[in-house]
Amino acid sequence: MPDTEQHKPETGHPAERWTPIHGQPYRSVPYRPARMPADESLARAAELAERMRQRRTVRQFSPDPVPPQVVRDAIACAATAPSGAHQQPWTFVLVQDPEVRRLIREAAEHEERISYDGRLGEEWLAALRPLGTDEVKPHLTDAPALIVVFQQRYWLGEDGTKHKHYYVDESVGIAVGMLLSALHLSGLAALVHTPSPMRFLSQVLGRPENEKAFAVIPVGYPAPDCEVPDLVRKSLDQVLVEV
């Protein structure tokens, strides 16, 4: 075997298209990635932590286009997330068409006006107040791309039989977290927008009945005059418990 092949971990069959494995017997493949030296691991972890500390949620976007392949690769990273029973219950819809983004903004602002006019309740509005948000959502049309994430509640067999997915919320939530990290580490800014209810997204994007909207993620570069809320993250000792 050539040297270039010796250190590639065997992780399955990346060239094959995924098909449901529901009910199939267990099978395994070798997984033996090279172990990273401790000093390199420490250096990478410290660098990653520092880069992620610089991540901020952005609501003011430049209209400048972003390389579509960067966004596709970030979605590909998200799609490697672990999922309940390896059912991968997610769909990522990349929206770049200006008219579709306009329709999404129009529908989202309609729902947001109802929410801010009373549907949210005072406690939730008080929690949002330090963020400076309101019912106007220019990021949905200013950002050059939107990633609309859908969760698949079930999948259909070839005979039309419905099969339940498991741990859907947890699985899709992990994938979205990985997506945000990949976008940030690729030099792009993002925002997780969750208008409620979100049924309009299925209608605007023509998604099937088994899919439910999970989040809208505007993606782009921060506007030249971009500002973010003056916030402080919890320190490590406030979030970490070691036993």
Side-chain angles (χ1 to χ4, degrees):
M1 181 181 293
D3 289 345
T4 55
E5 297 294 324
Q6 289 181 357
H7 303 295
K8 290 183 179 179
E10 298 178 63
T11 57
H13 309 278
E16 294 181 1
R17 287 187 63 81
W18 178 87
T19 56
I21 58 174
H22 181 81
Q24 294 183 13
Y26 170 75
R27 69 174 187 175
S28 65
V29 294
Y31 179 67
R32 300 180 181 89
R35 180 176 294 187
M36 186 181 295
D39 57 346
E40 183 180 351
S41 182
L42 287 165
R44 286 200 189 185
E47 178 187 7
L48 178 60
E50 179 56 34
R51 291 187 67 185
M52 291 306 296
R53 273 192 285 269
Q54 298 168 16
R55 188 203 64 78
R56 291 300 304 262
T57 291
V58 166
R59 293 180 172 84
Q60 295 170 290
F61 286 89
S62 165
D64 295 342
V66 299
Q69 191 57 45
V70 173
V71 182
R72 294 189 192 103
D73 284 340
I75 293 172
C77 289
T80 69
S83 60
H86 190 58
Q87 293 180 325
Q88 304 163 84
W90 43 63
T91 301
F92 302 90
V93 180
L94 177 57
V95 183
Q96 300 176 85
D97 185 279
E99 176 61 16
V100 179
R101 288 188 282 122
R102 184 192 68 78
L103 291 173
I104 290 174
R105 176 179 176 179
E106 184 179 89
E109 289 185 337
H110 170 74
E111 295 295 347
E112 295 284 20
R113 277 192 294 272
I114 298 172
S115 294
Y116 278 87
D117 285 345
R119 184 164 59 189
L120 290 179
E122 179 52 36
E123 185 174 359
W124 185 215
L125 289 172
L128 290 173
R129 203 160 288 131
L131 304 182
T133 62
D134 57 27
E135 68 276 11
V136 183
K137 307 298 179 185
H139 46 263
L140 295 174
T141 48
D142 290 348
L146 303 177
I147 302 172
V148 185
V149 184
F150 289 86
Q151 52 181 203
Q152 301 170 8
R153 308 308 301 182
Y154 59 89
W155 60 278
L156 295 173
E158 292 183 359
D159 60 355
T161 304
K162 291 183 180 181
H163 297 275
K164 180 181 178 181
H165 283 313
Y166 297 93
Y167 297 102
V168 175
D169 291 342
E170 295 86 347
S171 301
V172 178
I174 293 169
V176 167
M178 292 177 64
L179 175 61
L180 295 175
S181 297
L183 291 168
H184 171 68
L185 294 173
S186 300
L188 300 179
L191 159 72
V192 178
H193 180 54
T194 54
S196 180
M198 291 192 279
R199 287 186 295 272
F200 67 87
L201 290 165
S202 295
Q203 298 166 355
V204 171
L205 298 173
R207 300 312 304 159
E209 185 179 311
N210 69 319
E211 293 185 359
K212 178 182 177 183
F214 186 84
V216 183
I217 303 177
V219 178
Y221 300 111
D225 58 349
C226 180
E227 295 184 350
V228 295
D230 185 8
L231 304 175
V232 176
R233 290 190 174 103
K234 291 182 178 180
S235 61
L236 185 60
D237 67 288
Q238 291 177 292
V239 301
L240 172 63
V241 176
E242 298 190 57
V243 179

